[in-house]
Amino acid sequence: MRWRDRDSITYPRGYRPGSRSPYATRIWALLLVSVLILGTLVGRLFQLQVVDGPAMRAAAQQINTRTIDAAATRGRILAADGTALVTNGSTSVLTVDPTVLADSPDGGRAVFTRVQQLVGGDLEQMLARTKPCGSRGAPPPPVCNALSPVEPIPVLSNVDPGLSMTLLERPEDFPGIAVQQQQVRRFPAPSGVNAAQLIGYLGRTNSGDLQRDSSLRATDVVGRGGLELQYDRTLRGTPGRTVLAVDARGLPVRTVSTQASVPGHDLITHLDVPVQRAAESALSATIGRLRAAKKPATGGAAVVLDASSGAVVAMASNPSYDPIVWTGGISARDYTSLTSASAGNPLLNRTIGGLQPPASTFKVVSMPAAVANGVDPRGKYECSSSLMVGSRVFKNFESAAYGLIDLPTALEVSCDTVFYRWAYAQWIAEGGIGADKATPSSFVEQTRAFGFGAKSGVDLPGEAAGVVPSRAWKHNRWQQTKAAMCRRAQNGYPEVKDKAQAAYFTQLAQENCKYGYQWQAGDAVNFSIGQGDLLVSPLQTAVAYASLANGGTLWQPQVVGATRSADGSSQRKISPKRAGTVQLSAATRTAITDGLRRVVTEPSGTASSVFAGFPATYPISGKTGTAEVYGKDTTAWFASYGPKLASGKQYVVVVMIEQGGLGGEAAAPAARLIWDVLRTRP
């Protein structure tokens, strides 16, 4: 090889050997461009593979796969002994394709007419169920269609399977019609138990549900009331899911993945079937008897608690309804029937939402408040027939006078004037009409100590807190209603046809317009006997009486005692929850318990005649109450408790009957029917 002499190389013009090459800049530029291009490609690849990869893979799977969901079996609702109150079944549901329906010039009327002729059903109700909620002519929820626009619309439930097959074989006559098997609730009703408001009901998911809970699907059903709503997640379980790969025709070619459904857990309640049945039948029979005697008796409630734990042993509300109406979707006719004014609001659970003045059952709360203000629990006090408070006369029931009586006797005969005097004296001591709105009241504080004015925390939706009026409460309410009240004071009530009633309302409006913020003496004395603006529920009253029975513990009432897996392999017990303690002196507690026992046993006791012949070996203590409500008949109350049993249980029974008359004649007899069953229970 012969090397060229360096001097023989021809260099570009201007270049001298030993100086920088004229190509270097270009080479570096090319390298830089190459690096930039390569970097861009690597970055894009990283974005596609790493950043966007999961989403793109999911999108690709959606394009090439189909997912089939399988609903989980919903958990059952059981009584304490395992007796089924709610189980599961299935039914055939007729659906219509929303696209076909939208293309139908008559809104599907012709098709549904043919459906009706073949399988039955109500034509107008089928049409009503197709109307989107909120659209013109749509029925109210839950009857209207709240589904996604792409979901088949259920129009008819409980379709005969044989007839439905005939329908499917003629798609030319029934375009868009399909049949689905839908899981539904069954209600065995052991011993005739209803418990409709307690159990609750199910409804199809709507857009709000889907936004709140991403685990829900448009075809799911969820709890809408009672235990079904409170424990919806526990009962619902986890749906199964199968992902299938599909070809270009949309036909499955293989299974990509399968996830089995997980059944929901069963609820084991504290409910005792014989006691629940007794509570329901006692209410029904008593209300029927009162109506036969021309009493309005518009409704009632009965609740049985175990004072040793707060367990809800029975809970009944009247009027009630057949929960089967919700199965497969409630019809417009049934919904209208349930919500009509004449139905008496059967959807309301009156044990937790039926607020009424507690009347004389409240005296067990006022008495310790008076003792806290200096009343001697061993002293005697004047029970006159009436008491003048300001310019108004407050009377005893039927103006009865008993002279000087002790505290137990004040409960036994339910003397109002004894409590009036205590409350009036305390009102004066607190500053009377001139007291600041922030001035504390021992009566109000004692009321709150017993749990009134706040939700008890029972594991049910829809509980009302009630009302405990005070100086501050009245001042706030006056500020909120002053403008309307003053307009009424000026304009009166021309829409009220009864002139005397209209004049009375106008007088009240005039007084409240000027002085509605004042906590007057009348407010204080009415409060002391459970009247005025005080409102409580039967369950709150039961919790308060349970604390008297058990020595002072306020238990949070609990309907469900445990949850259990569907195969029974695991169970989670729900422990009793202590909500507070009512502090009473021994002398006060003795005075109250002696008085409550005398109500049932002594001849002058307001419930003694009702419990005549009841075994003395099973001592019952209780208090009657008769609440006055303007423009209506009185509300009847009876609150009671029994002895501590060998099992450790101690039952509490509270009965309330709206417009039922006297507590001793309406509520106490219903409670006696329940106690007749309870005394046979462990």
Side-chain angles (χ1 to χ4, degrees):
M1 177 180 293
R2 190 165 65 99
W3 296 93
R4 291 183 66 181
D5 186 79
R6 180 177 179 179
D7 296 335
S8 65
I9 298 175
T10 301
Y11 295 100
R13 181 177 298 173
Y15 173 76
R16 291 191 304 275
S19 64
R20 190 174 181 180
S21 170
Y23 299 109
T25 301
R26 299 177 186 176
I27 291 171
W28 282 109
L30 287 172
L31 284 173
L32 179 60
V33 171
S34 300
V35 169
L36 290 174
I37 294 174
L38 184 61
T40 302
L41 291 174
V42 170
R44 179 61 176 159
L45 183 63
F46 178 82
Q47 181 181 13
L48 293 174
Q49 292 292 325
V50 179
V51 179
D52 297 338
M56 297 183 70
R57 280 194 293 275
Q61 286 180 351
Q62 287 183 354
I63 294 173
N64 298 308
T65 62
R66 295 289 184 271
T67 300
I68 300 176
D69 293 322
T73 301
R74 196 170 176 88
R76 300 172 300 165
I77 300 177
L78 311 173
D81 62 356
T83 301
L85 302 174
V86 183
T87 60
N88 297 300
S90 65
T91 186
S92 297
V93 177
L94 213 64
T95 67
V96 60
D97 187 316
T99 304
V100 175
L101 189 68
D103 293 338
S104 175
D106 63 352
R109 178 173 290 276
V111 174
F112 291 144
T113 300
R114 291 193 289 274
V115 169
Q116 182 189 37
Q117 292 169 349
L118 183 61
V119 301
D122 186 292
L123 172 62
E124 296 304 325
Q125 291 197 34
M126 284 189 278
L127 287 167
R129 286 189 170 188
T130 66
K131 297 185 181 301
C133 293
S135 64
R136 185 177 181 181
V143 181
C144 58
N145 173 26
L147 298 174
S148 160
V150 301
E151 292 291 332
I153 306 167
V155 293
L156 186 61
S157 302
N158 300 318
V159 181
D160 181 271
L163 293 176
S164 65
M165 291 304 296
T166 303
L167 182 148
L168 295 179
E169 290 171 353
R170 294 163 52 191
E172 67 281 5
D173 293 330
F174 303 99
I177 298 295
V179 177
Q180 296 179 351
Q181 285 300 309
Q182 186 181 93
Q183 188 182 115
V184 294
R185 292 303 233 179
R186 300 296 188 202
F187 306 94
S191 303
V193 164
N194 173 268
Q197 300 92 348
L198 178 62
I199 290 169
Y201 57 94
L202 302 177
R204 296 290 292 266
T205 53
N206 55 37
S207 57
D209 299 321
L210 299 176
Q211 289 176 357
R212 282 191 298 271
D213 190 342
S214 59
S215 68
L216 288 173
R217 305 160 304 160
T219 55
D220 286 338
V221 292
V222 294
R224 294 297 187 203
L227 294 174
E228 294 280 18
L229 172 57
Q230 184 74 21
Y231 289 93
D232 183 61
R233 282 185 173 274
T234 302
L235 290 164
R236 197 193 310 157
T238 305
R241 176 164 294 183
T242 300
V243 180
L244 300 174
V246 298
D247 60 18
R249 299 168 298 170
L251 300 176
V253 293
R254 65 183 175 86
T255 301
V256 176
S257 63
T258 300
Q259 177 182 328
S261 63
V262 179
H265 282 58
D266 293 339
L267 303 182
I268 304 174
T269 68
H270 291 295
L271 296 179
D272 184 314
V273 170
V275 181
Q276 178 69 27
R277 177 57 186 161
E280 293 176 4
S281 60
L283 270 185
S284 178
T286 301
I287 289 175
R289 172 175 63 82
L290 293 171
R291 288 178 178 172
K294 307 300 182 186
K295 287 287 184 183
T298 52
V303 58
V304 180
L305 287 186
D306 178 359
S308 69
S309 65
V312 177
V313 179
M315 180 177 277
S317 184
N318 189 291
S320 191
Y321 64 95
D322 188 348
I324 198 72
V325 298
W326 298 101
T327 300
I330 191 169
S331 69
R333 181 184 297 114
D334 286 338
Y335 190 74
T336 300
S337 175
L338 284 178
T339 55
S340 67
S342 60
N345 200 1
L347 296 177
L348 173 65
N349 184 345
R350 284 171 161 80
T351 60
I352 60 173
L355 299 178
Q356 295 285 335
S360 291
T361 62
F362 186 71
K363 289 173 178 171
V364 298
V365 179
S366 296
M367 185 170 284
V371 172
N373 293 332
V375 168
D376 182 358
R378 299 178 182 84
K380 291 191 175 183
Y381 300 89
E382 179 65 30
C383 178
S384 56
S385 62
S386 64
L387 178 68
M388 178 71 77
V389 177
S391 59
R392 183 178 169 188
V393 177
F394 288 81
K395 296 181 178 179
N396 258 344
F397 177 69
E398 294 183 347
S399 299
Y402 294 90
L404 283 175
I405 60 174
D406 58 14
L407 269 59
T409 305
L411 293 176
E412 174 190 335
V413 301
S414 200
C415 177
D416 289 343
T417 52
V418 167
F419 291 85
Y420 291 153
R421 283 190 171 84
W422 292 340
Y424 186 38
Q426 184 58 29
W427 177 79
I428 293 173
E430 292 168 356
I433 200 74
D436 184 79
K437 67 177 181 180
T439 303
S441 165
S442 59
F443 280 85
V444 171
E445 292 172 356
Q446 189 68 69
T447 303
R448 296 194 185 282
F450 271 93
F452 293 106
K455 296 180 180 180
S456 69
V458 66
D459 50 340
L460 287 172
E463 183 183 18
V467 176
V468 176
S470 64
R471 288 182 173 86
W473 174 86
K474 197 169 182 185
H475 194 276
N476 292 338
R477 190 184 66 165
W478 177 72
Q479 288 184 320
Q480 296 168 1
T481 61
K482 179 182 177 184
M485 198 59 65
C486 291
R487 280 196 299 272
R488 284 294 191 179
Q490 183 174 1
N491 302 326
Y493 290 80
E495 74 277 15
V496 177
K497 296 180 180 178
D498 187 326
K499 291 185 178 180
Q501 191 176 51
Y504 176 71
F505 287 162
T506 303
Q507 181 185 355
L508 283 180
Q510 291 169 346
E511 293 176 1
N512 286 323
C513 175
K514 290 184 178 180
Y515 309 112
Y517 62 93
Q518 293 178 342
W519 183 253
Q520 301 186 12
D523 295 318
V525 299
N526 272 327
F527 187 99
S528 70
I529 62 162
Q531 287 284 173
D533 294 311
L534 181 65
L535 294 174
V536 306
S537 71
L539 183 62
Q540 288 175 321
T541 303
V543 171
Y545 272 73
S547 73
L548 294 172
N550 66 27
T553 300
L554 286 175
W555 291 108
Q556 179 175 307
Q558 195 75 28
V559 179
V560 175
T563 61
R564 186 174 65 191
S565 61
D567 60 4
S569 60
S570 65
Q571 180 168 317
R572 184 179 71 86
K573 185 178 180 182
I574 300 174
S575 300
K577 299 173 184 173
R578 186 186 296 269
T581 302
V582 179
Q583 301 288 351
L584 299 180
S585 68
T588 306
R589 186 175 300 280
T590 299
I592 293 174
T593 54
D594 284 354
L596 295 180
R597 179 64 180 144
R598 292 188 198 176
V599 169
V600 176
T601 59
E602 295 300 313
S604 56
T606 53
S608 60
S609 62
V610 174
F611 282 86
F614 197 84
T617 54
Y618 197 102
I620 303 296
S621 303
K623 185 72 191 79
T624 56
T626 304
E628 297 178 359
V629 181
Y630 180 79
K632 297 181 179 178
D633 277 20
T634 52
T635 295
W637 286 89
F638 187 67
S640 54
Y641 58 83
K644 183 89 168 179
L645 303 177
S647 63
K649 295 180 179 178
Q650 187 174 20
Y651 296 116
V652 175
V653 175
V654 172
V655 174
M656 180 276 292
I657 299 179
E658 301 167 356
Q659 303 195 69
L662 301 178
E665 296 178 359
R672 165 68 192 262
L673 294 173
I674 299 171
W675 280 114
D676 282 338
V677 174
L678 269 175
R679 67 184 177 84
T680 67
R681 308 302 295 168

